Amino acid sequence: MQNRELVIIGGGPAGLSAAVEAKNQGIKDVLVIDRESELGGILKQCIHTGFGLHIFNEELTGPEYAERFIQKVKDLGIEFKLNTMVIELTEDKRIIAVNPEEGLIEIQAKAVILAMGCRERTRGAINIPGSRPAGIFTAGTAQRYVNIEGYMPGKEIVILGSGDIGLIMARRLTLEGAKVKCVVEIMPYSNGLTRNIVQCLEDYNIPLILSHTVVNIHGTKRVEGVMIAKVDDNLKPIKGTEQFISCDTLLLSVGLIPENELSKMAKVEINEITGGPIVDESMQTSVEGIFACGNVLHVHDLVDFVTMEAQLAAKGAARYIKDGKLSAKNIKIIPDKNIRYVIPNFIDKENIIDGKQKFFMRSTLPFEKCLLVIESEKGIIKKKTLRHVKPSEMINIELKKEEILAEEFMKFFIEEGDLNA
């Protein structure tokens, strides 16, 4: 059995950022394990720009952003194992992994950072009726085919779901000569970033059909078309509103699921809303010495936020390795009116790293203008005017330690209003 100080499971943007930060925090023995043949995770296939504006003050492509961290990993001499699948993680931080060169590997870690990312929801997860012809892809799979493998998934495309990968693929496939007939979204608003709606759909005259969904897929050997229908307030199809759209390909961009099979194996408590671990101020899960960050924790809209969160997890893990300091988890973070969730779920004010705490959250509804209110048992802690709030775009706010006037709970909610009104 190998004994390691810190093992990071996942070599995508979260794992790479955490590894670099942990090394910078003085942890000498850092091991990154990834099941892929290269570091970088999903960024390798994201050849569009828009990465790095917050971290590097530059607009980079996915591979460029990943390469910045891969090079740092190499420069710092951080060890990594590729083509290595972790098959078991226990509550006492024992890891079983396997790869072709070493076979089974058993590792006892002082601390573990979970950075396994997420996977796409498939047709089976959303139960679309109809036949099972060729030509149905998740948007991420299609992105890999086009950008890495050099294959086009089809010529006439309908995209279900307006998540960012779907929007980006609408533009990408158009540039490659395909006809993207429309993007169909079940919600009355888009689930992608506003910039992607403008740059990927409006700039290419691709229709976005809101409050509609696909109710049937036609075709035997290959997709021949899809039937879409308008939905009511309960997201149920309205009879009589069906319309047929001919196409040879249906792309699904209908959400992402954090990959937490290993987390559950280690008895990490999972948040029902996010699908990721419950964490404290330093991203430590309910299991002592196991930390989580990135899309395995909650699905992000910007990779820069993944990096920030991973750096926080690495600082927490480094502190745990050095002095075993644990969080008291004595202030509960409560998402309230119009807030879907807040990360972290608990904080210990005395354990806050660098004297400030960042909170990440998503709204349940879109707002053109509103107030984010943070309240504790002692009263209002802070109010902030927000503009153009959407459930698809993450809200983040940072509080200094001295601003956190709470001992028991902090409640986050959104209400109509404007501090400047």
Side-chain angles (χ1 to χ4, degrees):
M1 179 188 289
Q2 301 178 26
N3 289 295
R4 297 282 189 164
E5 282 193 309
L6 176 61
V7 176
I8 298 169
I9 305 175
L16 292 171
S17 304
V20 170
E21 185 62 36
K23 199 76 173 181
N24 289 337
Q25 292 292 318
I27 303 303
K28 294 179 180 175
D29 181 19
V30 178
L31 172 64
V32 179
I33 297 177
D34 196 275
R35 64 189 175 193
E36 298 286 336
S37 59
E38 295 176 72
L39 294 171
I42 193 70
L43 290 176
K44 298 192 294 290
Q45 65 188 56
C46 300
I47 63 173
H48 53 281
T49 58
F51 302 88
L53 288 169
H54 296 270
I55 296 296
F56 296 113
N57 293 319
E58 294 180 62
E59 195 169 15
L60 305 173
T61 65
E64 288 172 334
Y65 189 93
E67 187 57 33
R68 297 274 177 106
F69 285 97
I70 292 171
Q71 193 56 52
K72 286 181 182 177
V73 163
K74 293 177 178 175
D75 291 344
L76 291 168
I78 296 171
E79 186 180 350
F80 54 88
K81 292 181 184 293
L82 300 175
N83 298 309
T84 303
M85 174 74 81
V86 175
I87 56 176
E88 186 176 341
L89 172 65
T90 66
E91 200 173 359
D92 61 357
K93 301 178 282 296
R94 188 174 63 88
I95 296 164
I96 305 293
V98 61
N99 68 30
E101 290 77 29
E102 300 170 87
L104 278 177
I105 308 163
E106 188 174 3
I107 303 169
Q108 180 62 58
K110 285 185 180 176
V112 174
I113 295 179
L114 306 172
M116 295 88 77
C118 59
R119 62 174 176 267
E120 293 178 282
R121 285 159 63 92
T122 62
R123 178 184 178 181
I126 56 174
N127 299 319
I128 304 175
S131 53
R132 295 184 173 276
I136 304 170
F137 304 88
T138 62
T141 299
Q143 186 181 50
R144 180 176 179 87
Y145 280 155
V146 176
N147 292 348
I148 293 185
E149 310 291 344
Y151 297 117
M152 281 290 283
K155 295 178 180 176
E156 293 190 318
I157 320 285
V158 169
I159 299 176
L160 176 60
S162 59
D164 288 309
I165 305 175
L167 299 178
I168 287 163
M169 283 310 296
R171 176 179 61 185
R172 184 78 182 104
L173 290 164
T174 300
L175 291 172
E176 290 295 332
K179 173 64 177 175
V180 178
K181 294 210 163 175
C182 60
V183 174
V184 180
E185 170 57 55
I186 195 169
M187 301 303 291
Y189 48 82
S190 164
N191 272 313
L193 294 170
T194 301
R195 73 182 189 196
N196 285 335
I197 296 291
V198 174
Q199 296 173 5
C200 300
L201 298 188
E202 294 178 6
D203 286 355
Y204 295 88
N205 297 316
I206 298 170
L208 172 61
I209 304 176
L210 299 174
S211 299
H212 281 68
T213 190
V214 172
V215 294
N216 209 340
I217 298 171
H218 295 264
T220 49
K221 291 185 178 179
R222 177 82 195 193
V223 171
E224 295 172 1
V226 295
M227 190 72 76
I228 69 169
K230 188 175 176 59
V231 298
D232 61 21
D233 292 342
N234 296 314
L235 307 182
K236 300 295 184 186
I238 302 172
K239 201 169 183 179
T241 63
E242 298 88 352
Q243 57 176 303
F244 179 79
I245 302 175
S246 65
C247 61
D248 61 19
T249 301
L250 174 65
L251 292 195
L252 303 176
S253 179
V254 289
L256 301 165
I257 303 170
E259 290 211 52
N260 275 296
E261 285 73 14
L262 289 173
S263 312
K264 293 173 185 173
M265 196 181 288
K267 299 181 181 176
V268 167
E269 190 177 355
I270 300 296
N271 184 323
E272 290 181 1
I273 302 298
T274 62
I278 287 175
V279 293
D280 64 18
E281 72 289 331
S282 56
M283 301 296 115
Q284 183 172 232
T285 69
S286 58
V287 177
E288 178 188 324
I290 298 183
F291 299 75
C293 57
N295 283 348
V296 79
L297 180 57
H298 59 132
V299 176
H300 291 66
D301 51 357
L302 295 178
V303 72
D304 300 66
F305 293 155
V306 169
T307 295
M308 293 176 193
E309 201 172 81
Q311 290 169 340
L312 185 57
K315 289 176 181 176
R319 185 169 60 184
Y320 174 80
I321 291 168
K322 289 176 183 173
D323 58 25
K325 190 169 184 181
L326 299 177
S327 170
K329 295 184 174 62
N330 50 13
I331 301 176
K332 185 176 183 180
I333 307 302
I334 303 172
D336 205 56
K337 182 182 175 185
N338 296 321
I339 293 287
R340 186 161 172 257
Y341 70 83
V342 182
I343 299 292
N345 308 96
F346 293 90
I347 63 169
D348 174 353
K349 196 164 58 176
E350 299 309 314
N351 222 19
I352 287 174
I353 293 172
D354 298 333
K356 54 193 176 185
Q357 181 70 46
K358 194 176 281 289
F359 297 88
F360 295 94
M361 68 207 77
R362 286 184 189 271
S363 69
T364 56
L365 294 170
F367 295 89
E368 277 303 308
K369 188 186 293 182
C370 59
L371 279 177
L372 171 63
V373 183
I374 306 172
E375 186 180 45
S376 77
E377 75 280 1
K378 297 182 178 180
I380 300 294
I381 292 177
K382 190 160 189 168
K383 288 186 176 182
K384 182 180 180 182
T385 301
L386 303 177
R387 297 177 189 276
H388 310 301
V389 171
K390 294 172 63 179
S392 57
E393 298 191 10
M394 195 175 291
I395 303 166
N396 74 85
I397 187 167
E398 187 173 87
L399 295 182
K400 295 176 183 174
K401 182 179 176 181
E402 56 269 25
E403 291 182 291
I404 301 177
L405 301 175
E407 302 294 336
E408 299 174 6
F409 70 85
M410 292 172 65
K411 191 181 291 184
F412 289 68
F413 58 95
I414 285 176
E415 60 184 20
E416 301 284 350
D418 181 350
L419 286 177
N420 300 316

